[in-house]
Amino acid sequence: MRFSRPLLSRSILLSASAALLAGCTFQSVPEPELSARDAEYMAQIPTAQEDMRYGRYLMSDVTGEAPGTIVVDTRERFLYYVLPGGKMIRYGVAVGDEAYGWTGTSRVARKAEWPNWNPPAEMVARWPHVHPMKGGPANPLGARALYLFEGNKDTLYRIHGTNEPEKIGQAVSSGCIRMRNIDVVDLYNRVGVDAKVIVR
């Protein structure tokens, strides 16, 4: 089918207007309150040029899940936290690359602030240079970690902060879901133990 130039221009204009209107439904979310330790440690982590697509936004729920649920869209690199009233908060994330990605349904079994890192044996076998680390600004788990279990079994996957914020929006990790530290603090403050987590 061929379109006349005026009709095509109008179609492009309508599409652009729809995109702008859709953008109006995004609302920024205030920064969470930080402890003195949070502020001290975060100041030691390199900053990165932020991509506005992966900011923290309040928007209409697109998941259809119950409030309190976390949904991770590994393809789009977003994590959604479902709120009451048909709303959700969308965060940008980094996800596992194709070789190490994981999908499924789990629950938050434990939460930790500036957690220690104990890499599993499989990771050490792949990368002999990795080793256990105490929590802090050099630790790859960042400011907070949510530990994902299937029933009572540890999946070994985590939702956690990062000391490489420049990688948000990419598929680079060994399977875990990485967030900007300020975002994982915000999520940590909202999420309860036993919250449902869906990774797609």
Side-chain angles (χ1 to χ4, degrees):
M1 179 182 291
R2 298 181 64 186
F3 292 97
S4 66
R5 185 164 296 171
L7 184 59
L8 186 59
S9 298
R10 187 187 308 173
S11 176
I12 292 170
L13 183 60
L14 287 173
S15 296
S17 299
L20 286 172
L21 287 173
C24 293
T25 64
F26 287 57
Q27 180 181 336
S28 61
V29 177
E31 301 281 46
E33 191 171 326
L34 299 177
S35 68
R37 180 176 67 164
D38 288 334
E40 177 189 350
Y41 283 178
M42 286 187 192
Q44 298 175 51
I45 297 172
T47 57
Q49 181 71 36
E50 291 186 18
D51 186 331
M52 296 301 291
R53 289 176 298 171
Y54 299 111
R56 185 174 67 252
Y57 297 109
L58 176 68
M59 55 191 297
S60 297
D61 177 44
V62 299
T63 70
E65 299 293 335
T69 303
I70 295 170
V71 179
V72 180
D73 184 334
T74 58
R75 179 171 294 183
E76 297 297 327
R77 322 284 199 253
F78 291 124
L79 181 151
Y80 308 117
Y81 180 67
V82 184
L83 301 171
K87 298 292 184 182
M88 68 179 191
I89 299 176
R90 191 186 80 179
Y91 308 85
V93 296
V95 300
D97 65 27
E98 189 173 349
Y100 306 115
W102 171 80
T103 57
T105 300
S106 59
R107 67 183 180 91
V108 175
R110 186 164 78 88
K111 300 166 54 176
E113 299 187 15
W114 295 101
N116 295 335
W117 184 46
N118 295 293
E122 298 84 359
M123 183 179 290
V124 175
R126 288 196 304 268
W127 299 301
H129 65 280
V130 302
H131 55 85
M133 294 181 67
K134 289 190 174 182
N139 189 307
L141 295 184
R144 305 287 189 273
L146 307 177
Y147 295 76
L148 306 185
F149 279 53
E150 290 178 325
N152 293 319
K153 181 183 177 184
D154 189 350
T155 66
L156 302 180
Y157 290 97
R158 316 286 183 242
I159 297 171
H160 62 81
T162 184
N163 55 10
E164 297 179 311
E166 71 279 4
K167 294 185 177 175
I168 297 300
Q170 300 178 32
V172 292
S173 76
S174 59
C176 291
I177 308 300
R178 300 185 199 177
M179 305 177 71
R180 292 188 312 146
N181 283 314
I182 195 70
D183 287 346
V184 80
V185 170
D186 184 81
L187 180 67
Y188 179 98
N189 292 346
R190 298 174 187 277
V191 172
V193 171
D194 283 332
K196 183 178 181 181
V197 181
I198 302 169
V199 181
R200 298 173 177 161

